[in-house]
Amino acid sequence: MKRTNLVLDPHLLEEALRLGGERTYSRTVGRALEDFVRRIKAGKILELQGQGLWDGDLGAMRGDAVNEARPPSGSKRRGAPRGRGAAR
C-alpha cells in the first residue's frame, strides 16, 4: 500500500462515503480509483472498434442460421420446461 496525503473536497468525500457504503475514507478513495481505472480501460477497448483486428462472421462462428424461424419477441416457447442442467 502507498501512503499519501490528499486534499479532497470534504462534501464530495462524505457523499461518496455515504453512497458507496464503505466504512473508511481510504476504502472509498480506493474504490473510486478502481472504478476510474476500469472505466479508462473500457474506453480503450471501444477505441478498437472498426480497427479490423478481427475478421470473421460471428453468426457463422456461433452456428446461427440466418433464416431460422424464431418466435416473436415476448412470446412464450412451448414444450418441456428447461431446468438447471437441461440441454439447450
Side-chain angles (χ1 to χ4, degrees):
M1 286 286 160
K2 170 123 176 91
R3 193 177 261 295
T4 189
N5 291 322
L6 300 171
V7 178
L8 302 171
D9 178 336
H11 301 292
L12 186 59
L13 185 57
E14 286 295 332
E15 185 175 16
L17 184 73
R18 182 178 53 81
L19 292 172
E22 299 296 343
R23 294 183 178 191
T24 66
Y25 292 137
S26 292
R27 186 60 201 129
T28 299
V29 171
R31 185 173 172 190
L33 287 171
E34 290 167 359
D35 187 53
F36 177 76
V37 168
R38 189 176 312 112
R39 289 172 185 260
I40 296 296
K41 286 181 178 180
K44 291 185 185 251
I45 289 172
L46 292 175
E47 289 174 8
L48 296 176
Q49 183 178 2
Q51 297 294 317
L53 298 176
W54 181 74
D55 186 25
D57 182 349
L58 187 57
M61 188 174 94
R62 289 180 181 164
D64 293 347
V66 176
N67 294 323
E68 181 180 338
R70 293 188 177 150
S73 178
S75 68
K76 294 183 179 181
R77 291 183 175 192
R78 296 179 185 223
R82 293 184 179 173
R84 290 185 79 195
R88 292 183 180 224

